[in-house]
Amino acid sequence: VSTAQATGLILSVAIPNLQAALMLAPTLMIFIVILAGFYVPLDNLNPAIEWASWASFARYGYSALIINEFGGRDIECGSDAVDEEGEGCPLSGNDVVASIGLRGAFTNLWLNVV
């Protein structure tokens, strides 16, 4: 939350014209959210813009949330549930983390928190 507020303050200082700020700020925030992996998994980002996801502050918070919720856990589901490979449950939480595109240093919860 503090990072989002700081981004708003930086934009308000950098763009003194209210009308221009109201056009640019939402556009910038949409790109930040998309590059975080909320809507498009990080593995599916176009390689030309994948580098920009490292600058998205939302990526670090979202990565920490996913790792905290799913990392190292088994997800139980109903007896009739089947995953993509045709196997039953439980589904590994680490598979969920990998499906979002988190790999390498981003799989460390504390790196994303700090």
Side-chain angles (χ1 to χ4, degrees):
V1 173
S2 296
T3 307
Q5 290 173 344
T7 303
L9 286 172
I10 289 172
L11 289 175
S12 67
V13 170
I15 309 168
N17 184 348
L18 179 64
Q19 293 169 336
L22 289 174
M23 288 189 309
L24 293 175
T27 306
L28 178 66
M29 293 308 290
I30 287 171
F31 283 117
I32 286 173
V33 169
I34 289 173
L35 293 173
F38 286 119
Y39 299 112
V40 179
L42 297 171
D43 287 340
N44 294 346
L45 287 176
N46 186 322
I49 64 167
E50 185 178 3
W51 62 270
S53 71
W54 291 88
S56 172
F57 63 83
R59 176 179 180 168
Y60 300 97
Y62 183 61
S63 298
L65 173 91
I66 294 298
I67 293 167
N68 186 50
E69 286 297 316
F70 298 109
R73 295 194 172 126
D74 288 332
I75 302 165
E76 299 294 330
C77 47
S79 60
D80 59 344
V82 177
D83 65 7
E84 292 177 2
E85 287 82 31
E87 301 172 2
C89 289
L91 179 66
S92 169
N94 293 330
D95 291 341
V96 174
V97 171
S99 73
I100 294 181
L102 299 177
R103 59 186 178 277
F106 274 105
T107 59
N108 184 339
L109 173 67
W110 294 110
L111 172 74
N112 291 306
V113 171
V114 175

